[in-house]
């Protein structure tokens, strides 16, 4: 066993029982290093959670509105600075691209370690057919296309498709303002270097025009939100309103994921995703949402290279200006392309001038974190044998980020769980040996103090990053910021509707403030420590995790 493998094993064995490092202040003057050096109140109880951990986790005993006290669990960090750590910010310095690749090289020298991680990488290398990432059109053949072919944009489902029963989705009201869009981007580094692919990739989705956002002065400001979905997310995929993400095994009491597509649902979570797009559009925002490369109605072979997907954001924005590689289907049914499509969207403004927010969920948060890093602090070509580090793009009209179930805090904030123990070796191996940057290293975190604003939506036992990591990101933001937490897991579509609705409402409030350049978000719940942040959650639980002694619980 290599030295790093021994360290990883030891961390997984003992750190779950330790108090979590890190705290926050709701005061915007907090030091960007506070989360690396301070200690919150220690956890004082343990509680079972179902989806998607099926495990007992540490937590805090908190009083509830009904007078009872309940243990509210959360995920804890697998890593913490060793005693006497002499560096600056441990969670940045020890989880850089270079450090992660160094640990991967040590793993490669250990036959058992290499065999274990290589097997995981082989399962994830594109095209990932075993995970059935493309399911649009499997329940209803309308909307089925060949993503890598020459596509008639009229065949792509529009918002009005979701007006019919049993879907009855609010997004349908946006149909008259929706353009079907197609962008052209290059192959990613894995495809170019490993597979020798050179043909372009087409990204497809919707551009929904808004009416403008209130500017607080009696007028309207045209603004755009670019939204990136989670892994496997497919913008136009069907989700039956009664569908569930999991079932509970009667023998074990554990949750078991339901596989999709099935007879009524193509991809789980898409109904909730479209509700977010609708909420932002109803608030006046233009909304651009497209399937990331390799997924849904977009072309491409590889779906895991989030660094490349971050660069796609800037390619897409530039094409809205120039028309190069762009095709549009207007609400009236006309197809425009090239120079004929240039400048037709963004309210006639340039992509470098219109106020923009970048939003992402789960894997989409990875690509958005990279886009924010590329814009504000710089991000190197970590997918190349010798990374190059261009200067940041510095588009001042990008006003902030919306990160839901975020991975953006990087590799140092890995939750302590046996099924996640190899993630960072996987990260280093994919970048070094396969030219794919999947999970973020610490580069986005290191530059977050340059971001103008950020909003975070988080389940307390999210497998993406610990709540401590989300707080570490929040601590670095200089402008408007908010964290909304819920007693639930990574998959927000499993949260109770009341929690999802509150998250949407707060996201819209934040978006309006960020576009206006505000520095605080009205109505955000106050907190000054990790425990107090956990206590901002209502007595509302993801159903499989509700304590047994709760009325109506399991």
């Amino acid at each position: 066993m290599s030295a790093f493998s021994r360290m990883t094993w030891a961390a997984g064995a003992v750190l779950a029982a330790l108090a979590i490092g890190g705290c926050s202040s709701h005061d915007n003057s907090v030091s960007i290093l506070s989360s690396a050096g301070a200690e919150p109140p220690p956890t004082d109880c343990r509680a079972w959670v179902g989806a998607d951990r099926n495990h007992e986790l540490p937590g805090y005993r908190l009083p509830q509105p009904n007078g009872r006290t309940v243990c509210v669990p959360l995920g804890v960090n697998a890593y913490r600075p060793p005693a006497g750590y002499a560096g600056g910010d441990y969670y940045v310095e020890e989880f850089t691209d270079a450090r992660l690749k160094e640990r991967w090289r040590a793993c490669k020298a250990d036959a058992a370690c290499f065999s274990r991680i290589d097997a995981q990488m082989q399962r994830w290398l594109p095209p990932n057919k075993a995970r059935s990432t493309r399911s649009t059109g499997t329940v209803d053949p309308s909307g089925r296309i060949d993503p890598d072919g020459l596509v008639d944009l009229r065949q792509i489902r529009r918002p009005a498709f979701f007006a019919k029963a049993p879907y009855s989705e609010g997004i349908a009201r946006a149909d008259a303002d929706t353009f079907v869009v197609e962008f052209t981007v290059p192959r990613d580094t894995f495809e170019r270097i490993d597979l020798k692919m050179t043909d372009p990739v087409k990204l497809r989705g919707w551009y929904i025009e808004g009416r403008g956002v209130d500017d607080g002065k009696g007028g309207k400001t045209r603004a755009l939100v670019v939204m990136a979905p989670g892994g496997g997310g497919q913008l136009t995929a069907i989700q039956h309103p009664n569908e569930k993400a999991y079932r509970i095994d009667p023998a074990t009491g554990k949750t078991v994921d339901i596989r999709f597509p099935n007879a009524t649902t193509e991809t789980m979570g898409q109904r909730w995703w479209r509700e977010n797009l609708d909420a932002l559009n109803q608030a006046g925002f233009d909304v651009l949402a497209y399937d990331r490369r390799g997924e849904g109605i977009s072309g491409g072979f590889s779906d895991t290279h989030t660094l490349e997907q971050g660069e796609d954001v800037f390619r897409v924005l530039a094409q809205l200006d120039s028309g190069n590689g762009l095709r549009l289907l207007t609400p009236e049914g006309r197809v425009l392309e090239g120079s004929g499509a240039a400048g037709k969207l963004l309210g006639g403004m340039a992509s470098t001038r219109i106020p923009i927010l970048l939003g992402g969920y789960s894997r989409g948060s990875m690509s958005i974190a990279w886009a924010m890093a590329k814009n504000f602090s710089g991000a190197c070509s970590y997918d190349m044998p010798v990374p190059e580090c261009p200067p940041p793009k510095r588009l001042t009209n990008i006003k902030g980020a919306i990160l839901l179930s975020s991975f953006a805090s990087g590799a140092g904030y890995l939750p302590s769980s046996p099924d996640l123990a190899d993630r960072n070796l996987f990260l280093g191996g994919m970048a070094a040996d396969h030219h794919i940057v999947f999970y973020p290293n610490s580069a986005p975190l290191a530059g977050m103090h340059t971001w103008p604003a950020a909003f975070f939506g988080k389940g307390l036992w999210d497998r993406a990053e610990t709540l401590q990591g989300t707080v570490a990101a929040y601590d670095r933001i200089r402008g408007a910021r908010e964290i909304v937490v819920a007693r639930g897991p990574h998959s927000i579509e499993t949260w109770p509707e009341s929690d999802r609705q509150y998250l949407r409402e707060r996201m819209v409030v934040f978006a309006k403030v960020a576009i206006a350049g505000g520095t605080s978000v009205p109505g955000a719940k106050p907190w000054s420590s990790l425990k107090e942040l956990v206590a901002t959650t209502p007595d509302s639980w993801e159903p499989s995790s509700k304590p047994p002694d709760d009325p109506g619980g399991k």
Side-chain angles (χ1 to χ4, degrees):
M1 182 182 291
S2 69
F4 187 68
S5 296
R6 288 192 296 271
M7 185 182 80
T8 301
W9 180 87
V14 304
L15 287 180
L18 297 175
I20 310 170
C23 73
S24 175
S25 166
H26 203 62
D27 178 1
N28 281 350
S29 66
V30 66
S31 164
I32 66 171
L33 298 182
S34 67
S35 60
E39 289 287 342
T43 55
D44 53 18
C45 61
R46 298 186 70 84
W48 171 266
V49 301
D52 61 354
R53 299 290 78 204
N54 285 319
H55 197 69
E56 190 178 73
L57 297 177
Y60 292 115
R61 292 190 181 278
L62 297 172
Q64 304 304 296
N66 61 7
R68 297 185 312 107
T69 297
V70 66
C71 182
V72 180
L74 70 160
V76 301
N77 255 38
Y79 302 111
R80 64 184 301 167
Y85 180 68
D89 190 333
Y90 169 80
Y91 294 103
V92 169
E93 295 173 358
E94 298 302 319
F95 298 92
T96 62
D97 172 72
R99 294 288 286 139
L100 293 164
K101 288 176 179 173
E102 176 185 335
R103 290 165 186 156
W104 166 242
R105 288 192 292 271
C107 176
K108 286 184 74 172
D110 180 315
C113 183
F114 173 76
S115 177
R116 185 178 76 251
I117 306 303
D118 184 60
Q120 296 177 34
M121 292 193 294
Q122 295 302 320
R123 288 196 297 272
W124 274 89
L125 285 177
N128 307 313
K129 296 296 186 185
R131 294 190 290 114
S132 300
T133 57
R134 297 189 196 274
S135 61
T136 303
T138 56
V139 170
D140 184 330
S142 65
R144 182 185 300 164
I145 62 170
D146 173 8
D148 293 306
L150 180 61
V151 172
D152 180 351
L153 299 182
R154 297 178 182 86
Q155 292 183 325
I156 292 174
R157 292 170 182 158
R158 299 179 55 82
F161 173 87
F162 298 97
K164 63 185 181 181
Y167 313 119
S168 303
E169 294 187 22
I171 194 65
R173 60 187 149 192
D175 196 78
D177 300 308
T178 298
F179 292 72
V180 177
V181 291
E182 179 186 81
F183 304 97
T184 305
V185 297
R187 293 282 178 174
D188 68 24
T189 43
F190 170 78
E191 294 167 325
R192 296 195 309 269
I193 295 175
D194 292 49
L195 304 180
K196 312 304 181 187
M197 292 179 168
T198 58
D199 56 315
V201 170
K202 302 294 186 178
L203 306 179
R204 302 182 184 93
W206 296 337
Y207 187 106
I208 309 172
E209 292 191 310
R211 304 296 200 273
V213 182
D214 291 338
D215 62 6
K217 303 175 184 178
K220 298 281 188 180
T221 297
R222 199 71 177 265
L224 171 67
V225 184
V226 182
M227 294 290 279
Q234 301 181 51
L235 175 65
T236 61
I238 290 170
Q239 179 188 325
H240 193 282
N242 297 330
E243 190 61 78
K244 304 296 182 184
Y246 60 80
R247 62 179 178 85
I248 297 179
D249 186 327
T252 65
K254 295 183 177 182
T255 60
V256 179
D257 290 342
I258 295 174
R259 292 183 63 85
F260 300 102
N262 61 17
T264 59
T265 292
E266 293 172 346
T267 300
M268 187 64 186
Q270 301 318 288
R271 183 182 180 90
W272 167 76
W273 184 242
R274 289 186 289 266
E275 288 171 347
N276 293 321
L277 308 184
D278 180 51
L280 289 163
N281 184 241
Q282 288 297 302
F285 288 92
D286 287 26
V287 177
L288 172 59
Y290 56 88
D291 287 344
R292 291 190 319 278
R293 52 173 70 223
E295 296 194 281
I297 56 175
S298 288
F301 190 75
S302 172
D303 67 336
T304 50
H305 196 327
T306 63
L307 180 64
E308 191 82 56
Q309 292 163 12
E311 187 64 34
D312 285 344
V313 171
F314 300 99
R315 294 168 176 145
V316 161
L317 291 174
Q319 288 175 36
L320 291 173
D321 293 333
S322 70
N324 295 334
L326 173 65
R327 283 203 301 155
L328 305 176
L329 175 67
T330 71
E332 297 78 28
R334 291 187 300 128
V335 176
L336 307 175
E337 58 184 306
S339 60
K344 295 298 183 183
L345 301 176
L346 301 175
M349 302 173 70
S351 68
T352 55
R353 297 297 300 275
I354 186 171
I356 295 174
L357 291 173
L358 303 181
Y361 168 48
S362 186
R363 194 181 306 173
S365 78
M366 303 183 205
S367 61
I368 294 306
W370 284 123
M372 293 292 287
K374 285 170 177 283
N375 192 63
F376 291 103
S377 57
C380 306
S381 55
Y382 301 116
D383 50 350
M384 298 297 289
V386 180
E388 296 181 357
C389 302
K393 299 175 187 295
R394 297 193 175 96
L395 297 183
T396 58
N397 61 314
I398 294 180
K399 301 299 185 181
I402 296 170
L403 300 174
L404 308 177
S405 297
S406 172
F407 286 85
S409 295
Y413 290 103
L414 182 75
S416 179
S417 180
D419 65 320
L420 304 175
D422 287 335
R423 184 195 286 173
N424 288 346
L425 290 174
F426 173 91
L427 188 170
M430 290 287 275
D433 288 14
H434 299 292
H435 312 103
I436 294 174
V437 176
F438 188 17
Y439 301 109
N441 55 43
S442 62
L445 180 69
M448 282 187 187
H449 63 284
T450 64
W451 297 15
F455 176 88
F456 305 88
K458 193 73 176 175
L460 293 181
W461 49 93
D462 190 336
R463 68 176 184 271
E465 67 187 17
T466 58
L467 185 59
Q468 178 188 347
T470 306
V471 168
Y474 171 96
D475 276 352
R476 288 162 165 80
I477 304 301
R478 302 295 86 208
R481 57 186 184 165
E482 183 175 0
I483 302 177
V484 172
V485 286
R487 298 175 187 180
H490 177 76
S491 299
I492 295 177
E493 58 266 26
T494 68
W495 296 5
E497 171 54 29
S498 58
D499 288 291
R500 298 199 305 269
Q501 181 177 341
Y502 180 72
L503 178 65
R504 282 195 300 274
E505 292 170 353
R506 296 308 307 166
M507 178 178 66
V508 169
V509 172
F510 164 82
K512 292 179 177 179
V513 168
I515 287 298
T519 58
S520 62
V521 187
K525 294 179 180 179
W527 54 275
S528 60
S529 71
L530 194 68
K531 183 175 182 178
E532 289 184 11
L533 177 58
V534 173
T536 66
T537 58
D539 191 16
S540 172
W541 297 79
E542 184 285 313
S544 69
S545 304
K546 179 175 273 191
D549 56 349
D550 268 10
K554 61 183 180 180

